[in-house]
Amino acid sequence: MSERKSNIGSYEQRLPNFDWSLAEQELGYKKGDKINIGWYLSDRNCQKGLGMKLALIHEDHLGNVRRYTFNDMRVMTNAIALYLQKLGVQPGERVCIFMDRAPELYFTFQGILKMGAVAQPLFSAFGDESLFTRLDNAKTTAIFTQKKHVAKVRKILGTLPALRHIIIVDADESTTLKDRELAYNMEKQPRVEQFDAYPSTAETPSVLHYTSGTTGQPKGAQHVHYSIISQYLTTKWVLDLQPDDIYWCNADPGWVTGTSYGIIGPWVAGITQVVLDAGFSAERWYQFIEKHKITVWYSAPTAIRLLMREGTDIVRKYNLKSLRHLASVGEPLNAEAVIWSKEAFGLFFHDSYWQTETGSIVITNYPGMTIKPGSMGKPFPGITATVLDTKTFEPIQKSGTVGLIALKPGWPSMFRTYWNNQAVYDSKFKNGWYLCGDRASIDPDGYFWFVGRDDDVINTGGHLVGPFEIESALLEHPAVAESAAVGKPDPVNMEVVKAFVALKPGFEPSDDLDLEIMNFIRKKLSPLAMPQEIEFVKSLPKTRSGKIMRRMLRAKEWGEEIGDTSTLEND
Ligand code: WT7
């Protein structure tokens, strides 16, 4: 398979005169045309003669497999779009998807887009408070969910007046539907052969993905239908998907990787993808690759490190020869993991860098390009990326100097704003550059080397968690007077959450209290946000103006220089 030609061909030759219109032409789009992502993923593929090709091979945790062709996907997403229309959901309204990786998740996403509403995917492991924050902020009007998650919706319903419909996709005879609840069985619905997709144009809102920042509650990054242009071309050139590929993206669509490259990218390209709705297990994953003869795999560093921990002997038990291209995203991919993957699979994992806000891959290693293990690679053609001086916000000329990763705005999938928060959006720009919030250096060959985040956001296993969200939730616990949440080093997840807690008078530190607080956060927010360690302290270090100095606490965890503490009140 190695003599196969990559889609990108030569990276260097793609750079001069690159224009996104290349992707527009391949998708048959001209400026001003209608462009509806939902239509592109199924209807267009059927028109091109791919109706009978498999779009989705889905395996649940019990090993049951369901298969859907592009035509199945077309008629089933039509049915969902029609159903929403009949419910009175209006174009532009936010419809949340809050479920495990069932086929319904993948299809409701498209049905929502087809009828012109905005898809708001949320990670199903979110607790009621994480869910509330995001549904309240988006004034979401409908939510698709499953029986196992509906209790969390019921708990917060009373304070969500905008939420009119709770649609349960796996309700059965034994389910008693409560206030505002409906049952929608996707498999049993009549197929809808014809549905006129909403005539969205380039700037029509499509997907709203919530992401955490340093301050305040998570913000909704607003994407538009035109994003498909960069999602398509990056899928082709970076993931190198070709017509006979069987592609596996193991990201959950509650996060942007799972939508940009777990729904939109592969399906606009007419590729067959596999989904495994089950937790992590090295054996199960290798079995899955062998069984479905997966050829291209998009994964994440934490998963790779978990596999690495299990060793290469178990890899040898399976026939993984079908694999031909591997890529990774979400957090720093350490050189050891890249080298290990070559040893284990005979292939390098190709690191890729991007964010919820960028909507598609912006810096990466391309098929055929020399890999420098530990480097994120080079900017995608059409993306102008640099590192800026932290004080002047001017591009740094000297290679090897660490600065802020910055991008020239204007690529198709860039987010258009933060939902109802233009001020924070505006604050992300300096001197005409969009600041990603990360630090890196560029070597003399133009490769980017990630250094770290430039803010207090915690990246645990590739998932961003906002310290403010954790601290706010901690303060709701009756024993907590003050708190600070920071990332502490972890060999697999890179970082995990550690909380510093000062107790209210009358409360004493104890193991029980420790566990109780951890569980309190797990239930309210998510297992990701749950502190793995709680350190009880008398008080927290603050600036003279009373701001808790998270950075100082974090530096201690990482054994770094604490830096300037002159403004500290109680150092
Ligand atoms: C943040 C974005 C878009 C993918 C899923 C995460 C970190 C992302 C890398 C990488 C080092 C990375 C950055 C970035 N990150 N990819 N290859 N190497 N760090 O999307 O939740 O918006 O997180 O993840 O800090 O800003 P996200």
Side-chain angles (χ1 to χ4, degrees):
M1 284 240 215
S2 53
E3 60 286 353
R4 180 193 283 261
K5 259 187 74 189
S6 69
N7 286 331
I8 189 169
S10 149
Y11 172 71
E12 271 69 28
Q13 283 176 15
R14 293 288 189 182
L15 288 174
N17 310 318
F18 173 87
D19 197 311
W20 291 106
S21 63
L22 177 78
E24 294 179 348
Q25 278 158 26
E26 290 190 18
L27 293 182
Y29 168 84
K30 289 188 301 309
K31 289 254 172 297
D33 280 357
K34 290 185 284 191
I35 180 168
N36 184 306
I37 294 176
W39 179 85
Y40 264 100
L41 306 194
S42 58
D43 298 60
R44 180 168 177 271
N45 282 313
C46 292
Q47 282 182 10
K48 283 172 61 191
L50 297 179
M52 297 315 281
K53 180 174 177 175
L54 282 177
L56 173 63
I57 303 171
H58 181 276
E59 188 169 316
D60 70 14
H61 65 286
L62 299 170
N64 300 316
V65 177
R66 289 202 257 168
R67 292 184 168 80
Y68 304 87
T69 62
F70 277 96
N71 193 52
D72 293 334
M73 191 155 90
R74 183 181 69 80
V75 293
M76 291 170 112
T77 58
N78 279 351
I80 294 163
L82 187 65
Y83 174 75
L84 287 172
Q85 254 184 6
K86 286 190 174 161
L87 281 181
V89 172
Q90 298 298 312
E93 288 187 346
R94 278 71 54 212
V95 178
C96 175
I97 306 161
F98 185 56
M99 54 179 125
D100 297 348
R101 281 171 282 174
E104 285 83 352
L105 187 167
Y106 293 81
F107 290 6
T108 50
F109 180 88
Q110 298 173 57
I112 294 165
L113 296 179
K114 269 195 175 174
M115 55 76 62
V118 175
Q120 181 194 11
L122 291 178
F123 187 40
S124 64
F126 278 154
D128 54 284
E129 189 151 321
S130 290
L131 183 64
F132 173 78
T133 315
R134 292 157 176 84
L135 296 180
D136 182 47
N137 185 266
K139 299 284 168 279
T140 308
T141 55
I143 182 169
F144 283 97
T145 191
Q146 291 162 314
K147 283 187 292 188
K148 66 188 276 209
H149 299 299
V150 78
K152 296 187 268 192
V153 186
R154 285 177 184 164
K155 198 165 168 197
I156 55 178
L157 189 59
T159 41
L160 291 170
L163 191 63
R164 299 195 301 268
H165 311 291
I166 300 152
I167 306 153
I168 306 174
V169 300
D170 56 354
D172 51 34
E173 303 74 46
S174 66
T175 318
T176 317
L177 296 174
K178 300 207 171 150
D179 184 24
R180 302 180 231 177
E181 289 173 9
L182 299 160
Y184 182 86
N185 187 319
M186 186 178 90
E187 304 288 347
K188 291 198 186 130
Q189 288 297 314
R191 294 159 76 96
V192 175
E193 285 297 333
Q194 179 55 38
F195 180 87
D196 290 330
Y198 179 74
S200 39
T201 50
E203 294 303 305
T204 306
S206 56
V207 182
L208 187 63
H209 263 298
Y210 276 75
T211 183
S212 298
T214 297
T215 53
Q217 294 291 355
K219 283 135 199 100
Q222 177 67 75
H223 291 281
V224 295
H225 282 267
Y226 190 60
S227 70
I228 196 171
I229 298 295
S230 6
Q231 286 151 348
Y232 168 72
L233 203 63
T234 48
T235 298
K236 271 194 77 173
W237 287 5
V238 181
L239 302 177
D240 198 40
L241 294 186
Q242 303 189 11
D244 58 344
D245 274 317
I246 304 288
Y247 166 68
W248 184 29
C249 166
N250 54 245
D252 187 302
W255 311 94
V256 73
T257 308
T259 57
S260 290
Y261 297 105
I263 299 180
I264 305 174
W267 279 333
V268 63
I271 304 299
T272 302
Q273 60 167 333
V274 289
V275 167
L276 177 61
D277 185 11
F280 175 83
S281 136
E283 294 255 356
R284 181 79 197 265
W285 279 27
Y286 294 144
Q287 256 169 24
F288 187 67
I289 295 170
E290 181 183 75
K291 177 171 168 188
H292 298 289
K293 301 194 172 53
I294 292 166
T295 56
V296 179
W297 181 17
Y298 198 21
S299 196
T302 289
I304 301 164
R305 285 190 289 268
L306 282 169
L307 294 172
M308 200 167 139
R309 211 168 57 170
E310 308 264 339
T312 43
D313 283 355
I314 142 166
V315 179
R316 308 278 170 254
K317 283 169 54 187
Y318 298 91
N319 178 354
L320 308 181
K321 294 266 176 299
S322 56
L323 289 173
R324 69 167 189 86
H325 186 56
L326 313 180
S328 161
V329 65
E331 26 159 1
L333 180 64
N334 40 323
E336 298 76 21
V338 177
I339 293 161
W340 177 80
S341 87
K342 180 77 174 165
E343 188 192 320
F345 309 115
L347 300 164
F348 284 119
F349 264 100
H350 291 63
D351 194 9
S352 67
Y353 167 89
W354 57 292
Q355 318 177 292
T356 305
E357 288 86 344
T358 67
S360 63
I361 295 165
V362 290
I363 298 172
T364 190
N365 294 281
Y366 304 86
M369 173 173 136
T370 305
I371 292 208
K372 299 191 186 186
S375 159
M376 305 196 293
K378 298 185 180 190
F380 191 79
I383 299 281
T384 309
T386 189
V387 293
L388 301 180
D389 181 273
T390 50
K391 294 205 171 64
T392 62
F393 298 107
E394 293 297 333
I396 294 173
Q397 302 304 334
K398 201 164 154 272
S399 61
T401 309
V402 176
L404 304 171
I405 304 181
L407 309 170
K408 266 273 170 289
W411 67 98
S413 67
M414 184 180 182
F415 74 134
R416 298 305 197 257
T417 188
Y418 287 116
W419 182 261
N420 268 339
N421 209 335
Q422 187 67 23
V424 175
Y425 177 81
D426 292 340
S427 73
K428 294 270 178 152
F429 296 86
K430 289 278 183 302
N431 289 345
W433 292 93
Y434 164 69
L435 303 181
C436 297
D438 291 310
R439 287 175 292 127
S441 65
I442 309 174
D443 75 13
D445 300 326
Y447 284 70
F448 281 64
W449 296 77
F450 188 83
V451 173
R453 286 199 58 96
D454 189 51
D455 58 19
D456 293 341
V457 173
I458 302 159
N459 187 338
T460 179
H463 299 294
L464 300 191
V465 187
F468 179 83
E469 206 181 1
I470 304 171
E471 291 159 6
S472 309
L474 281 167
L475 288 181
E476 289 172 37
H477 190 280
V480 177
E482 279 188 335
S483 70
V486 300
K488 73 162 198 174
D490 181 85
V492 171
N493 292 290
M494 259 350 245
E495 284 189 294
V496 289
V497 176
K498 171 168 180 181
F500 292 84
V501 166
L503 293 172
K504 284 184 183 159
F507 290 93
E508 289 301 323
S510 72
D511 288 350
D512 282 354
L513 184 59
D514 201 86
L515 277 181
E516 189 191 307
I517 296 176
M518 286 180 181
N519 265 320
F520 182 77
I521 299 301
R522 184 178 58 79
K523 280 215 186 110
K524 267 188 184 299
L525 301 181
S526 73
L528 302 171
M530 182 183 87
Q532 303 287 318
E533 185 191 339
I534 295 182
E535 186 174 329
F536 293 107
V537 291
K538 288 257 168 306
S539 65
L540 291 162
K542 292 191 207 69
T543 59
R544 292 219 173 88
S545 60
K547 224 176 124 217
I548 291 170
M549 295 206 62
R550 279 193 208 113
R551 246 166 231 211
M552 190 178 151
L553 295 167
R554 185 183 189 279
K556 222 175 76 192
E557 294 305 313
W558 291 78
E560 290 166 0
E561 291 276 314
I562 290 178
D564 182 13
T565 56
S566 57
T567 56
L568 279 188
E569 171 204 86
N570 51 352
D571 50 338

